[in-house]
PDB file of all heavy atoms in Angstrom:
ATOM      1  N   ASN A  26     269.254 221.927 103.660  1.00 98.00           N
ATOM      2  CA  ASN A  26     269.713 223.102 102.930  1.00 98.00           C
ATOM      3  C   ASN A  26     271.132 222.878 102.432  1.00 98.00           C
ATOM      4  O   ASN A  26     271.830 221.963 102.875  1.00 98.00           O
ATOM      5  CB  ASN A  26     269.668 224.329 103.836  1.00 98.00           C
ATOM      6  CG  ASN A  26     268.268 224.651 104.332  1.00 98.00           C
ATOM      7  OD1 ASN A  26     267.278 224.418 103.631  1.00 98.00           O
ATOM      8  ND2 ASN A  26     268.177 225.170 105.546  1.00 98.00           N
ATOM      9  N   SER A  27     271.556 223.736 101.525  1.00 98.00           N
ATOM     10  CA  SER A  27     272.924 223.674 100.990  1.00 98.00           C
ATOM     11  C   SER A  27     273.285 222.253 100.565  1.00 98.00           C
ATOM     12  O   SER A  27     274.339 221.723 100.910  1.00 98.00           O
ATOM     13  CB  SER A  27     273.919 224.175 102.035  1.00 98.00           C
ATOM     14  OG  SER A  27     273.608 225.493 102.439  1.00 98.00           O
ATOM     15  N   LEU A  28     272.397 221.648  99.813  1.00 98.00           N
ATOM     16  CA  LEU A  28     272.590 220.252  99.432  1.00 98.00           C
ATOM     17  C   LEU A  28     273.807 220.086  98.533  1.00 98.00           C
ATOM     18  O   LEU A  28     274.123 220.951  97.703  1.00 98.00           O
ATOM     19  CB  LEU A  28     271.329 219.723  98.758  1.00 98.00           C
ATOM     20  CG  LEU A  28     270.205 219.389  99.746  1.00 98.00           C
ATOM     21  CD1 LEU A  28     268.874 219.288  99.028  1.00 98.00           C
ATOM     22  CD2 LEU A  28     270.507 218.100 100.481  1.00 98.00           C
ATOM     23  N   LYS A  29     274.473 218.950  98.718  1.00 98.00           N
ATOM     24  CA  LYS A  29     275.658 218.614  97.964  1.00 98.00           C
ATOM     25  C   LYS A  29     275.405 217.336  97.167  1.00 98.00           C
ATOM     26  O   LYS A  29     274.516 216.555  97.492  1.00 98.00           O
ATOM     27  CB  LYS A  29     276.832 218.384  98.916  1.00 98.00           C
ATOM     28  CG  LYS A  29     277.114 219.526  99.865  1.00 98.00           C
ATOM     29  CD  LYS A  29     278.207 219.146 100.857  1.00 98.00           C
ATOM     30  CE  LYS A  29     278.464 220.263 101.845  1.00 98.00           C
ATOM     31  NZ  LYS A  29     279.523 219.900 102.834  1.00 98.00           N
ATOM     32  N   ARG A  30     276.218 217.119  96.160  1.00 98.00           N
ATOM     33  CA  ARG A  30     276.064 215.913  95.351  1.00 98.00           C
ATOM     34  C   ARG A  30     276.161 214.656  96.214  1.00 98.00           C
ATOM     35  O   ARG A  30     275.470 213.669  95.965  1.00 98.00           O
ATOM     36  CB  ARG A  30     277.090 215.883  94.234  1.00 98.00           C
ATOM     37  CG  ARG A  30     276.823 216.882  93.121  1.00 98.00           C
ATOM     38  CD  ARG A  30     277.843 216.771  92.007  1.00 98.00           C
ATOM     39  NE  ARG A  30     277.502 217.646  90.889  1.00 98.00           N
ATOM     40  CZ  ARG A  30     277.791 218.920  90.832  1.00 98.00           C
ATOM     41  NH1 ARG A  30     278.435 219.491  91.828  1.00 98.00           N
ATOM     42  NH2 ARG A  30     277.445 219.644  89.771  1.00 98.00           N
ATOM     43  N   GLU A  31     277.010 214.703  97.217  1.00 97.00           N
ATOM     44  CA  GLU A  31     277.183 213.535  98.070  1.00 97.00           C
ATOM     45  C   GLU A  31     275.992 213.264  98.989  1.00 97.00           C
ATOM     46  O   GLU A  31     275.980 212.263  99.702  1.00 97.00           O
ATOM     47  CB  GLU A  31     278.463 213.662  98.906  1.00 97.00           C
ATOM     48  CG  GLU A  31     278.594 214.961  99.655  1.00 97.00           C
ATOM     49  CD  GLU A  31     279.455 215.976  98.895  1.00 97.00           C
ATOM     50  OE1 GLU A  31     279.275 216.108  97.664  1.00 97.00           O
ATOM     51  OE2 GLU A  31     280.273 216.644  99.549  1.00 97.00           O
ATOM     52  N   ASP A  32     275.002 214.149  98.979  1.00 98.00           N
ATOM     53  CA  ASP A  32     273.770 213.894  99.736  1.00 98.00           C
ATOM     54  C   ASP A  32     272.800 213.014  98.951  1.00 98.00           C
ATOM     55  O   ASP A  32     271.761 212.604  99.481  1.00 98.00           O
ATOM     56  CB  ASP A  32     273.069 215.206 100.080  1.00 98.00           C
ATOM     57  CG  ASP A  32     273.865 216.068 101.043  1.00 98.00           C
ATOM     58  OD1 ASP A  32     274.445 215.502 101.991  1.00 98.00           O
ATOM     59  OD2 ASP A  32     273.922 217.296 100.834  1.00 98.00           O
ATOM     60  N   THR A  33     273.134 212.716  97.711  1.00 98.00           N
ATOM     61  CA  THR A  33     272.281 211.866  96.891  1.00 98.00           C
ATOM     62  C   THR A  33     272.162 210.481  97.506  1.00 98.00           C
ATOM     63  O   THR A  33     273.162 209.816  97.776  1.00 98.00           O
ATOM     64  CB  THR A  33     272.840 211.758  95.460  1.00 98.00           C
ATOM     65  OG1 THR A  33     272.804 213.052  94.845  1.00 98.00           O
ATOM     66  CG2 THR A  33     272.038 210.778  94.629  1.00 98.00           C
ATOM     67  N   ALA A  34     270.918 210.063  97.741  1.00 98.00           N
ATOM     68  CA  ALA A  34     270.664 208.773  98.386  1.00 98.00           C
ATOM     69  C   ALA A  34     269.159 208.575  98.507  1.00 98.00           C
ATOM     70  O   ALA A  34     268.376 209.504  98.269  1.00 98.00           O
ATOM     71  CB  ALA A  34     271.296 208.727  99.779  1.00 98.00           C
ATOM     72  N   VAL A  35     268.785 207.375  98.896  1.00 98.00           N
ATOM     73  CA  VAL A  35     267.410 207.130  99.341  1.00 98.00           C
ATOM     74  C   VAL A  35     267.364 207.431 100.832  1.00 98.00           C
ATOM     75  O   VAL A  35     268.193 206.922 101.585  1.00 98.00           O
ATOM     76  CB  VAL A  35     266.969 205.685  99.064  1.00 98.00           C
ATOM     77  CG1 VAL A  35     265.551 205.454  99.587  1.00 98.00           C
ATOM     78  CG2 VAL A  35     267.042 205.383  97.570  1.00 98.00           C
ATOM     79  N   TYR A  36     266.420 208.265 101.223  1.00 98.00           N
ATOM     80  CA  TYR A  36     266.285 208.669 102.615  1.00 98.00           C
ATOM     81  C   TYR A  36     265.126 207.929 103.258  1.00 98.00           C
ATOM     82  O   TYR A  36     264.023 207.872 102.703  1.00 98.00           O
ATOM     83  CB  TYR A  36     266.067 210.179 102.705  1.00 98.00           C
ATOM     84  CG  TYR A  36     267.344 210.963 102.489  1.00 98.00           C
ATOM     85  CD1 TYR A  36     267.935 211.027 101.229  1.00 98.00           C
ATOM     86  CD2 TYR A  36     267.970 211.615 103.541  1.00 98.00           C
ATOM     87  CE1 TYR A  36     269.120 211.725 101.025  1.00 98.00           C
ATOM     88  CE2 TYR A  36     269.154 212.323 103.355  1.00 98.00           C
ATOM     89  CZ  TYR A  36     269.717 212.368 102.091  1.00 98.00           C
ATOM     90  OH  TYR A  36     270.894 213.048 101.905  1.00 98.00           O
ATOM     91  N   TYR A  37     265.390 207.392 104.432  1.00 98.00           N
ATOM     92  CA  TYR A  37     264.408 206.631 105.179  1.00 98.00           C
ATOM     93  C   TYR A  37     264.177 207.272 106.547  1.00 98.00           C
ATOM     94  O   TYR A  37     265.119 207.760 107.169  1.00 98.00           O
ATOM     95  CB  TYR A  37     264.895 205.204 105.424  1.00 98.00           C
ATOM     96  CG  TYR A  37     265.191 204.407 104.187  1.00 98.00           C
ATOM     97  CD1 TYR A  37     266.452 204.439 103.603  1.00 98.00           C
ATOM     98  CD2 TYR A  37     264.222 203.588 103.610  1.00 98.00           C
ATOM     99  CE1 TYR A  37     266.738 203.698 102.470  1.00 98.00           C
ATOM    100  CE2 TYR A  37     264.502 202.837 102.476  1.00 98.00           C
ATOM    101  CZ  TYR A  37     265.759 202.910 101.916  1.00 98.00           C
ATOM    102  OH  TYR A  37     266.037 202.164 100.796  1.00 98.00           O
ATOM    103  N   CYS A  38     262.935 207.219 107.016  1.00 98.00           N
ATOM    104  CA  CYS A  38     262.694 207.553 108.408  1.00 98.00           C
ATOM    105  C   CYS A  38     262.365 206.269 109.160  1.00 98.00           C
ATOM    106  O   CYS A  38     261.889 205.283 108.568  1.00 98.00           O
ATOM    107  CB  CYS A  38     261.590 208.587 108.574  1.00 98.00           C
ATOM    108  SG  CYS A  38     259.940 208.057 108.084  1.00 98.00           S
ATOM    109  N   ALA A  39     262.655 206.292 110.437  1.00 98.00           N
ATOM    110  CA  ALA A  39     262.434 205.128 111.276  1.00 98.00           C
ATOM    111  C   ALA A  39     261.980 205.583 112.656  1.00 98.00           C
ATOM    112  O   ALA A  39     262.313 206.688 113.085  1.00 98.00           O
ATOM    113  CB  ALA A  39     263.711 204.295 111.379  1.00 98.00           C
ATOM    114  N   ALA A  40     261.232 204.721 113.322  1.00 97.00           N
ATOM    115  CA  ALA A  40     260.664 205.083 114.618  1.00 97.00           C
ATOM    116  C   ALA A  40     260.819 203.953 115.617  1.00 97.00           C
ATOM    117  O   ALA A  40     260.803 202.766 115.254  1.00 97.00           O
ATOM    118  CB  ALA A  40     259.185 205.436 114.459  1.00 97.00           C
ATOM    119  N   VAL A  41     260.972 204.336 116.856  1.00 95.00           N
ATOM    120  CA  VAL A  41     260.997 203.358 117.944  1.00 95.00           C
ATOM    121  C   VAL A  41     260.481 204.039 119.201  1.00 95.00           C
ATOM    122  O   VAL A  41     260.752 205.209 119.445  1.00 95.00           O
ATOM    123  CB  VAL A  41     262.413 202.788 118.165  1.00 95.00           C
ATOM    124  CG1 VAL A  41     263.384 203.870 118.593  1.00 95.00           C
ATOM    125  CG2 VAL A  41     262.396 201.657 119.179  1.00 95.00           C
ATOM    126  N   GLN A  42     259.738 203.274 119.981  1.00 93.00           N
ATOM    127  CA  GLN A  42     259.264 203.783 121.270  1.00 93.00           C
ATOM    128  C   GLN A  42     260.009 203.028 122.351  1.00 93.00           C
ATOM    129  O   GLN A  42     259.859 201.812 122.487  1.00 93.00           O
ATOM    130  CB  GLN A  42     257.762 203.587 121.422  1.00 93.00           C
ATOM    131  CG  GLN A  42     257.190 204.280 122.663  1.00 93.00           C
ATOM    132  CD  GLN A  42     255.680 204.137 122.750  1.00 93.00           C
ATOM    133  OE1 GLN A  42     255.111 203.092 122.465  1.00 93.00           O
ATOM    134  NE2 GLN A  42     255.015 205.221 123.133  1.00 93.00           N
ATOM    135  N   SER A  43     260.829 203.762 123.081  1.00 89.00           N
ATOM    136  CA  SER A  43     261.647 203.150 124.120  1.00 89.00           C
ATOM    137  C   SER A  43     261.884 204.165 125.224  1.00 89.00           C
ATOM    138  O   SER A  43     262.225 205.315 124.945  1.00 89.00           O
ATOM    139  CB  SER A  43     262.989 202.695 123.547  1.00 89.00           C
ATOM    140  OG  SER A  43     263.882 202.362 124.591  1.00 89.00           O
ATOM    141  N   PRO A  44     261.722 203.744 126.476  1.00 86.00           N
ATOM    142  CA  PRO A  44     262.019 204.676 127.577  1.00 86.00           C
ATOM    143  C   PRO A  44     263.481 205.135 127.557  1.00 86.00           C
ATOM    144  O   PRO A  44     263.793 206.215 128.058  1.00 86.00           O
ATOM    145  CB  PRO A  44     261.695 203.864 128.841  1.00 86.00           C
ATOM    146  CG  PRO A  44     261.694 202.452 128.408  1.00 86.00           C
ATOM    147  CD  PRO A  44     261.280 202.445 126.981  1.00 86.00           C
ATOM    148  N   LEU A  45     264.358 204.340 126.963  1.00 88.00           N
ATOM    149  CA  LEU A  45     265.770 204.721 126.883  1.00 88.00           C
ATOM    150  C   LEU A  45     265.991 205.824 125.870  1.00 88.00           C
ATOM    151  O   LEU A  45     267.011 206.511 125.914  1.00 88.00           O
ATOM    152  CB  LEU A  45     266.616 203.500 126.506  1.00 88.00           C
ATOM    153  CG  LEU A  45     266.588 202.334 127.494  1.00 88.00           C
ATOM    154  CD1 LEU A  45     267.426 201.175 126.959  1.00 88.00           C
ATOM    155  CD2 LEU A  45     267.081 202.773 128.866  1.00 88.00           C
ATOM    156  N   LEU A  46     265.056 206.003 124.956  1.00 88.00           N
ATOM    157  CA  LEU A  46     265.205 207.009 123.902  1.00 88.00           C
ATOM    158  C   LEU A  46     264.183 208.119 124.048  1.00 88.00           C
ATOM    159  O   LEU A  46     263.795 208.755 123.072  1.00 88.00           O
ATOM    160  CB  LEU A  46     265.096 206.338 122.528  1.00 88.00           C
ATOM    161  CG  LEU A  46     266.169 205.311 122.216  1.00 88.00           C
ATOM    162  CD1 LEU A  46     265.950 204.713 120.837  1.00 88.00           C
ATOM    163  CD2 LEU A  46     267.553 205.937 122.304  1.00 88.00           C
ATOM    164  N   LEU A  47     263.764 208.357 125.290  1.00 86.00           N
ATOM    165  CA  LEU A  47     262.814 209.448 125.523  1.00 86.00           C
ATOM    166  C   LEU A  47     263.531 210.793 125.528  1.00 86.00           C
ATOM    167  O   LEU A  47     263.020 211.782 125.001  1.00 86.00           O
ATOM    168  CB  LEU A  47     262.096 209.225 126.851  1.00 86.00           C
ATOM    169  CG  LEU A  47     260.838 210.064 127.089  1.00 86.00           C
ATOM    170  CD1 LEU A  47     259.810 209.803 126.005  1.00 86.00           C
ATOM    171  CD2 LEU A  47     260.265 209.770 128.464  1.00 86.00           C
ATOM    172  N   ASN A  48     264.708 210.825 126.103  1.00 89.00           N
ATOM    173  CA  ASN A  48     265.455 212.077 126.209  1.00 89.00           C
ATOM    174  C   ASN A  48     266.765 212.081 125.432  1.00 89.00           C
ATOM    175  O   ASN A  48     267.499 213.058 125.476  1.00 89.00           O
ATOM    176  CB  ASN A  48     265.742 212.388 127.682  1.00 89.00           C
ATOM    177  CG  ASN A  48     264.455 212.651 128.447  1.00 89.00           C
ATOM    178  OD1 ASN A  48     263.618 213.456 128.027  1.00 89.00           O
ATOM    179  ND2 ASN A  48     264.276 211.967 129.555  1.00 89.00           N
ATOM    180  N   ILE A  49     267.054 211.001 124.762  1.00 90.00           N
ATOM    181  CA  ILE A  49     268.208 210.969 123.874  1.00 90.00           C
ATOM    182  C   ILE A  49     267.772 210.285 122.584  1.00 90.00           C
ATOM    183  O   ILE A  49     266.674 209.747 122.505  1.00 90.00           O
ATOM    184  CB  ILE A  49     269.403 210.198 124.484  1.00 90.00           C
ATOM    185  CG1 ILE A  49     269.033 208.721 124.668  1.00 90.00           C
ATOM    186  CG2 ILE A  49     269.851 210.827 125.791  1.00 90.00           C
ATOM    187  CD1 ILE A  49     270.235 207.845 125.016  1.00 90.00           C
ATOM    188  N   CYS A  50     268.608 210.314 121.592  1.00 93.00           N
ATOM    189  CA  CYS A  50     268.359 209.525 120.393  1.00 93.00           C
ATOM    190  C   CYS A  50     269.685 209.034 119.843  1.00 93.00           C
ATOM    191  O   CYS A  50     270.733 209.571 120.190  1.00 93.00           O
ATOM    192  CB  CYS A  50     267.583 210.324 119.337  1.00 93.00           C
ATOM    193  SG  CYS A  50     268.477 211.707 118.620  1.00 93.00           S
ATOM    194  N   VAL A  51     269.631 208.004 119.032  1.00 94.00           N
ATOM    195  CA  VAL A  51     270.829 207.406 118.490  1.00 94.00           C
ATOM    196  C   VAL A  51     270.641 207.167 117.000  1.00 94.00           C
ATOM    197  O   VAL A  51     269.526 207.119 116.496  1.00 94.00           O
ATOM    198  CB  VAL A  51     271.162 206.068 119.195  1.00 94.00           C
ATOM    199  CG1 VAL A  51     271.525 206.322 120.649  1.00 94.00           C
ATOM    200  CG2 VAL A  51     270.007 205.084 119.079  1.00 94.00           C
ATOM    201  N   LEU A  52     271.748 206.985 116.306  1.00 96.00           N
ATOM    202  CA  LEU A  52     271.695 206.759 114.860  1.00 96.00           C
ATOM    203  C   LEU A  52     272.179 205.357 114.512  1.00 96.00           C
ATOM    204  O   LEU A  52     272.903 205.178 113.539  1.00 96.00           O
ATOM    205  CB  LEU A  52     272.506 207.828 114.127  1.00 96.00           C
ATOM    206  CG  LEU A  52     271.869 209.215 114.107  1.00 96.00           C
ATOM    207  CD1 LEU A  52     272.781 210.219 113.412  1.00 96.00           C
ATOM    208  CD2 LEU A  52     270.509 209.174 113.431  1.00 96.00           C
ATOM    209  N   TYR A  53     271.748 204.393 115.308  1.00 95.00           N
ATOM    210  CA  TYR A  53     272.040 202.996 115.005  1.00 95.00           C
ATOM    211  C   TYR A  53     270.788 202.378 114.397  1.00 95.00           C
ATOM    212  O   TYR A  53     269.768 202.230 115.097  1.00 95.00           O
ATOM    213  CB  TYR A  53     272.448 202.241 116.259  1.00 95.00           C
ATOM    214  CG  TYR A  53     273.617 202.844 116.971  1.00 95.00           C
ATOM    215  CD1 TYR A  53     273.525 203.214 118.309  1.00 95.00           C
ATOM    216  CD2 TYR A  53     274.824 203.052 116.312  1.00 95.00           C
ATOM    217  CE1 TYR A  53     274.595 203.773 118.968  1.00 95.00           C
ATOM    218  CE2 TYR A  53     275.903 203.614 116.962  1.00 95.00           C
ATOM    219  CZ  TYR A  53     275.783 203.979 118.300  1.00 95.00           C
ATOM    220  OH  TYR A  53     276.849 204.530 118.948  1.00 95.00           O
ATOM    221  N   PRO A  54     270.790 201.974 113.156  1.00 95.00           N
ATOM    222  CA  PRO A  54     269.577 201.453 112.517  1.00 95.00           C
ATOM    223  C   PRO A  54     268.924 200.298 113.285  1.00 95.00           C
ATOM    224  O   PRO A  54     267.699 200.199 113.326  1.00 95.00           O
ATOM    225  CB  PRO A  54     270.075 200.995 111.148  1.00 95.00           C
ATOM    226  CG  PRO A  54     271.255 201.862 110.867  1.00 95.00           C
ATOM    227  CD  PRO A  54     271.912 202.058 112.200  1.00 95.00           C
ATOM    228  N   LYS A  55     269.726 199.465 113.910  1.00 96.00           N
ATOM    229  CA  LYS A  55     269.159 198.294 114.574  1.00 96.00           C
ATOM    230  C   LYS A  55     268.306 198.659 115.785  1.00 96.00           C
ATOM    231  O   LYS A  55     267.542 197.825 116.276  1.00 96.00           O
ATOM    232  CB  LYS A  55     270.272 197.347 115.005  1.00 96.00           C
ATOM    233  CG  LYS A  55     271.188 197.909 116.079  1.00 96.00           C
ATOM    234  CD  LYS A  55     272.247 196.898 116.475  1.00 96.00           C
ATOM    235  CE  LYS A  55     273.141 197.415 117.591  1.00 96.00           C
ATOM    236  NZ  LYS A  55     274.150 196.411 117.995  1.00 96.00           N
ATOM    237  N   GLU A  56     268.407 199.881 116.261  1.00 95.00           N
ATOM    238  CA  GLU A  56     267.630 200.316 117.424  1.00 95.00           C
ATOM    239  C   GLU A  56     266.215 200.714 117.046  1.00 95.00           C
ATOM    240  O   GLU A  56     265.375 200.910 117.916  1.00 95.00           O
ATOM    241  CB  GLU A  56     268.324 201.487 118.114  1.00 95.00           C
ATOM    242  CG  GLU A  56     269.691 201.167 118.669  1.00 95.00           C
ATOM    243  CD  GLU A  56     269.656 200.101 119.736  1.00 95.00           C
ATOM    244  OE1 GLU A  56     268.658 200.031 120.481  1.00 95.00           O
ATOM    245  OE2 GLU A  56     270.626 199.320 119.823  1.00 95.00           O
ATOM    246  N   TYR A  57     265.929 200.836 115.758  1.00 96.00           N
ATOM    247  CA  TYR A  57     264.636 201.323 115.303  1.00 96.00           C
ATOM    248  C   TYR A  57     263.742 200.165 114.861  1.00 96.00           C
ATOM    249  O   TYR A  57     264.210 199.200 114.259  1.00 96.00           O
ATOM    250  CB  TYR A  57     264.823 202.349 114.184  1.00 96.00           C
ATOM    251  CG  TYR A  57     265.392 203.636 114.721  1.00 96.00           C
ATOM    252  CD1 TYR A  57     266.759 203.778 114.929  1.00 96.00           C
ATOM    253  CD2 TYR A  57     264.557 204.696 115.059  1.00 96.00           C
ATOM    254  CE1 TYR A  57     267.280 204.950 115.462  1.00 96.00           C
ATOM    255  CE2 TYR A  57     265.067 205.875 115.583  1.00 96.00           C
ATOM    256  CZ  TYR A  57     266.433 205.987 115.784  1.00 96.00           C
ATOM    257  OH  TYR A  57     266.942 207.150 116.320  1.00 96.00           O
ATOM    258  N   GLU A  58     262.472 200.311 115.156  1.00 95.00           N
ATOM    259  CA  GLU A  58     261.529 199.208 114.942  1.00 95.00           C
ATOM    260  C   GLU A  58     260.713 199.355 113.654  1.00 95.00           C
ATOM    261  O   GLU A  58     260.463 198.365 112.972  1.00 95.00           O
ATOM    262  CB  GLU A  58     260.573 199.128 116.136  1.00 95.00           C
ATOM    263  CG  GLU A  58     259.609 197.962 116.087  1.00 95.00           C
ATOM    264  CD  GLU A  58     258.797 197.846 117.372  1.00 95.00           C
ATOM    265  OE1 GLU A  58     258.976 198.694 118.272  1.00 95.00           O
ATOM    266  OE2 GLU A  58     257.987 196.907 117.466  1.00 95.00           O
ATOM    267  N   TYR A  59     260.305 200.549 113.345  1.00 96.00           N
ATOM    268  CA  TYR A  59     259.451 200.760 112.182  1.00 96.00           C
ATOM    269  C   TYR A  59     260.192 201.606 111.151  1.00 96.00           C
ATOM    270  O   TYR A  59     260.868 202.581 111.506  1.00 96.00           O
ATOM    271  CB  TYR A  59     258.154 201.471 112.587  1.00 96.00           C
ATOM    272  CG  TYR A  59     257.393 200.755 113.665  1.00 96.00           C
ATOM    273  CD1 TYR A  59     257.381 201.225 114.974  1.00 96.00           C
ATOM    274  CD2 TYR A  59     256.703 199.581 113.377  1.00 96.00           C
ATOM    275  CE1 TYR A  59     256.691 200.557 115.971  1.00 96.00           C
ATOM    276  CE2 TYR A  59     256.017 198.903 114.371  1.00 96.00           C
ATOM    277  CZ  TYR A  59     256.018 199.395 115.669  1.00 96.00           C
ATOM    278  OH  TYR A  59     255.340 198.722 116.652  1.00 96.00           O
ATOM    279  N   TRP A  60     260.028 201.233 109.896  1.00 97.00           N
ATOM    280  CA  TRP A  60     260.736 201.915 108.809  1.00 97.00           C
ATOM    281  C   TRP A  60     259.779 202.275 107.693  1.00 97.00           C
ATOM    282  O   TRP A  60     258.837 201.527 107.392  1.00 97.00           O
ATOM    283  CB  TRP A  60     261.836 201.001 108.248  1.00 97.00           C
ATOM    284  CG  TRP A  60     262.985 200.826 109.167  1.00 97.00           C
ATOM    285  CD1 TRP A  60     263.074 199.971 110.233  1.00 97.00           C
ATOM    286  CD2 TRP A  60     264.224 201.539 109.127  1.00 97.00           C
ATOM    287  NE1 TRP A  60     264.291 200.112 110.856  1.00 97.00           N
ATOM    288  CE2 TRP A  60     265.017 201.063 110.185  1.00 97.00           C
ATOM    289  CE3 TRP A  60     264.739 202.528 108.296  1.00 97.00           C
ATOM    290  CZ2 TRP A  60     266.306 201.550 110.442  1.00 97.00           C
ATOM    291  CZ3 TRP A  60     266.013 203.002 108.538  1.00 97.00           C
ATOM    292  CH2 TRP A  60     266.790 202.520 109.599  1.00 97.00           C
TER     293      TRP A  60
END
């Protein structure tokens, strides 16, 4: 919502299955396996 010009980009989703990321999540691309 309330989109701004600076939000312009290609948006990607990514997934990873890890017991370390069951109750937390991180925004480091290298931690994700599928894109």
